[in-house]
Amino acid sequence: MQTFFKDYLNLLQDCHNSILQALKGLPPAALDWIPGPDMNSISVLIFHLTGAERYWIGDVAAQDPAERDRDAEFRVHDVEMDVLKKRLADNLEYARNTLNKFTIQDLETTRVSARDGHNFTVAWALLHALEHATLHLGQIQITRQLWELSKGNT
């Protein structure tokens, strides 16, 4: 694997590791807890994050379509911790296998999003996947903090 893709994978793994750290010690009720209106639970954030990550790395950058149901990502409920962890691990393994097939020259290649017909370079799709994942990492961390505050655990 070329250096850029190794570095990218390391950043993605750091993001996933930070998510796993944020999950440590949380009871099942915390995974479905919603801090307020127009906000999402940790389970929803992880399902959406991994769905989007797979979409941008797989569907767009690698042109390897999956059967993503984006709307369903926002309806998850009563998901066990092991399922969330497996979803993160599976995504990381998929990213590892997929990135291993790319070359630096591929970054400039244009792809078409089947979802909306827009054009994106492979570089943009990969960077957006990482950006999106880290955005939701922050939301997961804040949701955990709000959960702990709501329970008097500071």
Side-chain angles (χ1 to χ4, degrees), residues 2 4 13 16 19 21 28-29 34 38 42 49 58 62 73-74 76 85 87 92 100 107 111-112 126 140 146-147:
Q2 291 181 305
F4 173 85
Q13 182 152 14
H16 283 217
I19 293 168
Q21 185 64 36
I34 299 170
D38 298 321
I42 289 173
L49 175 154
E73 296 164 10
F74 293 94
V76 297
K85 289 178 179 180
R87 195 165 165 99
L92 200 57
N100 199 39
L107 293 173
R111 304 286 198 230
V112 177
L126 292 177
I140 290 165
L146 292 171
W147 163 264

Side-chain angles (χ1 to χ4, degrees), residues 4-5 102-110 121-124 126:
F4 173 85
F5 300 105
F102 286 126
T103 66
I104 290 298
Q105 292 75 25
D106 291 328
L107 293 173
E108 296 183 23
T109 305
T110 300
T121 63
V122 168
W124 192 96
L126 292 177

Side-chain angles (χ1 to χ4, degrees), residues 15-130:
C15 177
H16 283 217
N17 288 343
S18 294
I19 293 168
L20 293 172
Q21 185 64 36
L23 294 175
K24 277 191 180 174
L26 284 178
L31 300 176
D32 282 333
W33 181 74
I34 299 170
D38 298 321
M39 298 178 84
N40 293 302
S41 70
I42 289 173
S43 290
V44 164
L45 289 167
I46 291 173
F47 261 74
H48 174 62
L49 175 154
T50 53
E53 195 175 88
R54 170 58 177 85
Y55 174 77
W56 287 107
I57 294 171
D59 290 47
V60 178
Q63 297 183 318
D64 177 25
E67 297 298 320
R68 181 183 185 202
D69 183 351
R70 186 181 185 281
D71 292 339
E73 296 164 10
F74 293 94
R75 294 189 302 267
V76 297
H77 189 66
D78 290 329
V79 178
E80 294 183 17
M81 181 76 75
D82 288 344
V83 172
L84 298 175
K85 289 178 179 180
K86 182 175 181 345
R87 195 165 165 99
L88 287 162
D90 288 350
N91 255 38
L92 200 57
E93 184 62 22
Y94 178 81
R96 180 178 290 108
N97 292 334
T98 302
L99 293 170
N100 199 39
K101 298 172 189 173
F102 286 126
T103 66
I104 290 298
Q105 292 75 25
D106 291 328
L107 293 173
E108 296 183 23
T109 305
T110 300
R111 304 286 198 230
V112 177
S113 167
R115 183 177 65 198
D116 58 20
H118 289 104
N119 292 323
F120 301 96
T121 63
V122 168
W124 192 96
L126 292 177
L127 293 173
H128 184 64
L130 184 60

